[in-house]
Amino acid sequence: SGGRPMLEVDGINARYGDSQVLWDVSLSVGDGEVVGLLGRNGAGKTTTLSAIAGVQPPSTGTVTFDGKDITGQSVSAISRQGIKLVPEDRRPFDGLTVRENLELSTDTTNGEDWDVPRALGEFTQLDERANQRAGDLSGGEQQMLVIAMALVGNPRLVLLDEPMEGLAPQIVDQIVDIVRRVREANIPVLLVEQNVDVCLELIDRGYLLHKGEIRMSGSAAELADATEEIDRYLGIR
Ligand code: ATP
């Protein structure tokens, strides 16, 4: 909807001890956009999400959200402003039911569109298991629940770290469908993904990250055509 992007990452650098892992990374996510961050293992994708969410603030560079500089703010302060990070290893609380997991994730600070009834209405597979322990769900259902938990937080931006990782192909299709629904709900998403084909199916635009540097960016169509760069930076497709 015009104007400045919702999220603007400008020239961030990050290091672990002596080794620098992000080099002047800049990217943006606009209103309602699903943007991909593609790269091999160790390229720096998770570190980029950590820098945005405040888990590990960048050493230099800025993160601007909705026109406000949030660089270096705490995870909780950034979360309260509506940036919800879904880490790769996020799991629901096994001993709580599906419904309880959704209840404790509900946050109306930034809106009231999403609540437990809506989440269960959107994800009928979860609705059928609403009163079961989350620990008894399949891996795919748990991933579904984790995304639903982010949604009841009424996010203004979701950072999704490899949500399809380790899931069987038919489950991957379900998660793809869920990301589509997040997009249809007009919630912007920054999606970290190693699977190029899955990623290109979902995103409006994307960035190729290689050894901590953005090597290319473009629309999904432009990236799909960039077979040389994809082979070079992602190896396989
Ligand atoms: P993956 O898909 O494996 O998570 P990634 O693209 O998300 O890869 P990062 O996890 O951001 O990559 O890692 C970038 C680099 O930083 C890698 O070389 C990794 O070994 C290193 N690294 C990540 N976390 C730490 C840490 N806590 N301490 C030291 N080095 C780290």
Side-chain angles (χ1 to χ4, degrees):
S1 52
R4 57 191 311 170
M6 195 68 184
L7 175 76
E8 261 183 301
V9 171
D10 189 18
I12 61 170
N13 291 277
R15 49 175 61 249
Y16 295 105
D18 285 341
S19 75
Q20 180 154 357
V21 296
L22 294 183
W23 303 80
D24 275 323
V25 168
S26 296
L27 59 83
S28 66
V29 180
D31 257 351
E33 257 189 331
V34 177
V35 173
L37 185 57
L38 285 147
R40 282 192 187 127
N41 268 328
K45 305 178 300 294
T46 299
T47 305
T48 303
L49 297 189
S50 299
I52 297 167
V55 175
Q56 201 213 316
S59 49
T60 57
T62 57
V63 180
T64 308
F65 183 59
D66 201 15
K68 214 174 132 208
D69 186 349
I70 59 165
T71 321
Q73 290 188 9
S74 68
V75 174
S76 59
I78 290 172
S79 166
R80 252 182 278 122
Q81 291 166 76
I83 298 184
K84 302 295 176 190
L85 170 66
V86 184
E88 199 178 343
D89 56 0
R90 169 65 52 84
R91 288 178 49 84
F93 293 95
D94 282 355
L96 301 181
T97 66
V98 167
R99 186 189 307 281
E100 286 164 344
N101 269 284
L102 290 169
E103 279 165 358
L104 71 86
S105 304
T106 300
D107 177 359
T108 55
T109 312
N110 291 296
E112 294 181 347
D113 284 353
W114 287 86
D115 54 16
V116 176
R118 176 166 177 193
L120 292 175
E122 296 265 351
F123 307 116
T124 49
Q125 212 171 327
L126 293 179
D127 194 30
E128 288 161 15
R129 310 207 184 297
N131 299 315
Q132 291 180 23
R133 288 173 74 251
D136 295 335
L137 301 180
S138 69
E141 287 164 347
Q142 289 188 358
Q143 186 58 268
M144 214 175 276
L145 175 55
V146 157
I147 296 175
M149 287 163 69
L151 293 176
V152 294
N154 287 287
R156 300 169 71 209
L157 171 68
V158 179
L159 308 175
L160 265 185
D161 200 350
E162 299 200 38
M164 342 275 174
E165 173 76 18
L167 298 177
Q170 92 213 47
I171 313 294
V172 166
D173 290 345
Q174 293 177 6
I175 304 298
V176 164
D177 187 52
I178 287 174
V179 177
R180 285 222 179 84
R181 273 189 272 172
V182 177
R183 181 231 182 92
E184 280 158 20
N186 220 32
I187 300 168
V189 178
L190 181 57
L191 173 68
V192 161
E193 191 49 60
Q194 291 201 38
N195 183 325
V196 185
D197 294 324
V198 165
C199 194
L200 293 180
E201 244 183 84
L202 281 170
I203 62 175
D204 299 293
R205 289 189 304 113
Y207 297 85
L208 295 188
L209 188 66
H210 183 68
K211 296 187 175 167
E213 283 183 86
I214 302 284
R215 298 298 178 92
M216 188 194 165
S217 66
S219 66
E222 286 166 340
L223 290 174
D225 285 342
T227 49
E228 195 182 306
E229 285 85 350
I230 285 184
D231 284 349
R232 189 173 338 137
Y233 300 133
L234 305 176
I236 33 110
R237 62 165 311 179

